[in-house]
Amino acid sequence: MSDLLERLRTGLPPEALITDPGVTASYAHDMASFCAAGTPAVVVLPRTVEQVQHVMRTATALRVPVVPQGARTGLSGAANASDGCIVLSLVKMDRILEISPVDRIAVVEPGVINAVLSRAVNEHGLYYPPDPSSWETCTIGGNIGTASGGLCCVKYGVTAEYVLGLDVVLADGRLLTTGRRTAKGVAGYDLTRLLVGSEGSLGIIVKAVLALKPQPPQQLVLAAEFPSAAAACDAVCRIMERGHTPSLLELMDRTTVRAVNKLASMGLPETTEALLLCAFDTPDPAPDLAAVGALCTAAGATEVVPADNPAESELLLQARRMSLPALEAVRSATMIDDVCVPRSRLGEMLAGTAAIAEEYGLTIGVCSHAGDGNTHPVVCFDHTDPDESRRARESFDAIMALGLELGGTITGEHGVGVLKKEWLARELGETGIELQRGIKAAFDPLGLLNPGKLF
């Protein structure tokens, strides 16, 4: 330990090192439940690429594991510390280095907050679409590390589609530049896309070149109430089958709606079994909203209410963003699943989840990025009750099994981390895991980067 600290101090300012156990303990884990976390030896908060390189050279020389972190808003344990590791927190590397309206790119450091970047590019008439629910606190580096999504994915896609290039410090301290800042480019293997979603297991992201889009008009939202989740999912299928391209298509089940009302008195309709929110950000959204409203009515909606203005729309979206905090208030703890299924199987996924909730005697609320089939069943339980905690974990696994049975994936945007690594092996199979481990060994032959994650 003393040798580690002595070597780190030779290339870092004093304020970049945290050794107080009472403080380092607060960096031990992210927001996931049921994920083991160790005790870090030291927390390092670098401000420059050179400082990150110094940390990695030191770690390689002493064979010390390194766990990179952003804001620790993740939900899979991907940022959890291991015993004796260096926690490398990148939140101080928070500069927006460039915004180019001509090239439609932004160049940023990993600690930039998603919402800060979004507002900065808006001032140039540009738009950075990925918007995770934690966008006011999560970092771009963390978004890239977990390949996060958000509410707008149905039209604009996920983080991976906006990362053009990266600067990455490798395990041995070398600096790797991948990708491009041009609109097109296919030179060599796509290492940029490989690094997106790698959860800090292949390298430390220290700079990113991000694609931007022209800022669209403010979206208008339509809310539709349904007598069943099946009817709401039928409406989703009708909307997508008819070729509509909403900027947002979100579903909240009855449990979620009631939880949001209880937490914030939002005035959502508690008699509904499912609430569907659909938005368009076209210059004239009225025809699309009318067409979608008719499709919802045909699918069995009992009430269809389009927002009159952007302010009303934002109120509805705020209710959706409050889904997770509201469900967290139902019991003392939550497990948040992240299963994505084909849109055509969404109704089966929600019905199966409701059956699992009944089987295990638990409250499970579901909010969903319905337009892309990404469901977030939230298992609510009392963490002080061993039996209820056991049932929560078993129900979580049952939901993932259901997703795979329906042709889906165990994670649409939260990542694997510690929480789902056993399930990753089931989804990818023996050959897939073997190749993944080979890639890991090529980047990190000593296995120092974020050990114990993914597989």
Side-chain angles (χ1 to χ4, degrees):
M1 175 71 168
S2 59
D3 189 20
L4 172 63
L5 294 178
E6 184 178 342
R7 292 201 188 198
L8 288 174
R9 288 189 180 108
T10 63
L12 295 168
E15 65 271 15
L17 286 170
I18 300 176
T19 58
D20 181 344
V23 179
T24 59
S26 67
Y27 287 83
H29 56 84
D30 62 16
M31 296 179 66
S33 301
F34 290 108
C35 291
T39 302
V42 60
V43 174
V44 180
L45 293 95
R47 290 184 179 272
T48 68
V49 174
E50 292 75 20
Q51 290 173 5
V52 175
Q53 290 180 288
H54 173 68
V55 170
M56 294 314 305
R57 290 179 185 127
T58 301
T60 294
L62 298 178
R63 304 299 194 264
V64 178
V66 176
V67 176
Q69 291 183 348
R72 304 192 310 280
T73 56
L75 295 165
S76 68
N80 284 14
S82 55
D83 284 333
C85 76
I86 300 169
V87 164
L88 188 59
S89 174
L90 299 159
V91 295
K92 299 295 186 182
M93 297 181 68
D94 59 356
R95 294 179 300 162
I96 298 174
L97 302 173
E98 178 186 356
I99 296 173
S100 173
V102 174
D103 294 327
R104 291 184 181 172
I105 62 168
V107 182
V108 305
E109 292 183 328
V112 172
I113 300 296
N114 184 294
V116 171
L117 174 63
S118 295
R119 294 181 182 117
V121 301
N122 287 166
E123 293 178 3
H124 296 267
L126 297 169
Y127 177 45
Y128 180 67
D131 61 341
S133 294
S134 57
W135 78 306
E136 292 281 5
T137 54
C138 66
T139 64
I140 295 298
N143 294 169
I144 294 171
T146 56
S148 61
L151 303 187
C152 69
C153 296
V154 62
K155 179 175 182 178
Y156 292 103
V158 296
T159 296
E161 295 169 60
Y162 294 88
V163 183
L164 299 178
L166 295 169
D167 278 7
V168 179
V169 175
L170 299 177
D172 60 8
R174 289 178 296 164
L175 183 64
L176 169 70
T177 297
T178 74
R180 65 195 195 278
R181 55 181 289 147
T182 56
K184 296 166 63 177
V186 292
Y189 294 131
D190 191 349
L191 297 182
T192 303
R193 195 66 178 253
L194 175 63
L195 287 158
V196 176
S198 63
E199 301 185 19
S201 66
L202 302 180
I204 311 296
I205 295 168
V206 291
K207 186 170 74 173
V209 181
L210 305 173
L212 305 174
K213 290 186 175 294
Q215 187 172 8
Q218 285 188 289
Q219 60 187 356
L220 285 182
V221 177
L222 171 147
E225 301 175 40
F226 289 88
S228 69
C233 292
D234 179 29
V236 170
C237 292
R238 292 173 187 240
I239 292 166
M240 301 310 293
E241 184 180 26
R242 294 295 178 88
H244 292 286
T245 308
S247 56
L248 171 148
L249 189 56
E250 297 287 310
L251 186 150
M252 301 162 65
D253 73 352
R254 175 183 60 181
T255 300
T256 305
V257 168
R258 291 181 177 178
V260 169
N261 276 344
K262 185 176 181 180
L263 180 69
S265 302
M266 296 292 289
L268 298 177
E270 295 206 0
T271 55
T272 186
E273 292 294 316
L275 183 67
L276 190 66
L277 303 179
C278 182
F280 289 89
D281 59 4
T282 53
D284 181 12
D288 286 309
L289 289 173
V292 164
L295 292 173
C296 288
T297 299
T302 55
E303 188 81 22
V304 176
V305 181
D308 290 330
N309 53 60
E312 287 186 11
S313 296
E314 184 54 37
L315 189 63
L316 288 168
L317 296 185
Q318 185 61 25
R320 168 60 184 88
R321 292 191 182 101
M322 291 182 64
S323 294
L324 177 54
L327 288 167
E328 287 175 337
V330 171
R331 300 289 278 170
S332 65
T334 58
M335 288 192 76
I336 305 162
D337 227 321
D338 176 36
V339 173
C340 190
V341 297
R343 296 185 194 100
S344 57
R345 312 298 296 273
L346 184 62
E348 295 171 78
M349 184 68 205
L350 267 66
T353 300
I356 290 168
E358 184 174 354
E359 177 184 354
Y360 287 93
L362 294 168
T363 297
I364 303 179
V366 181
C367 50
S368 174
H369 307 310
D372 51 26
N374 195 174
T375 66
H376 295 309
V378 180
V379 182
C380 307
F381 65 100
D382 181 356
H383 74 283
T384 66
D385 183 331
D387 181 66
E388 195 164 312
S389 296
R390 175 191 58 80
R391 286 184 280 125
R393 180 68 211 222
E394 290 178 2
S395 71
F396 183 88
D397 287 345
I399 290 168
M400 283 192 287
L402 172 64
L404 291 180
E405 289 170 11
L406 295 175
T409 176
I410 60 168
T411 176
E413 58 187 8
H414 291 172
V416 175
V418 176
L419 189 62
K420 296 187 175 184
K421 65 180 187 177
E422 293 179 10
W423 284 93
L424 180 67
R426 300 192 197 190
E427 179 170 335
L428 297 185
E430 185 177 341
T431 301
I433 288 293
E434 181 182 346
L435 288 171
Q436 299 251 340
R437 285 177 173 154
I439 293 169
K440 164 73 169 171
F443 276 80
D444 180 22
L446 298 177
L448 300 179
L449 285 167
N450 217 6
K453 313 299 165 46
L454 292 171
F455 40 75

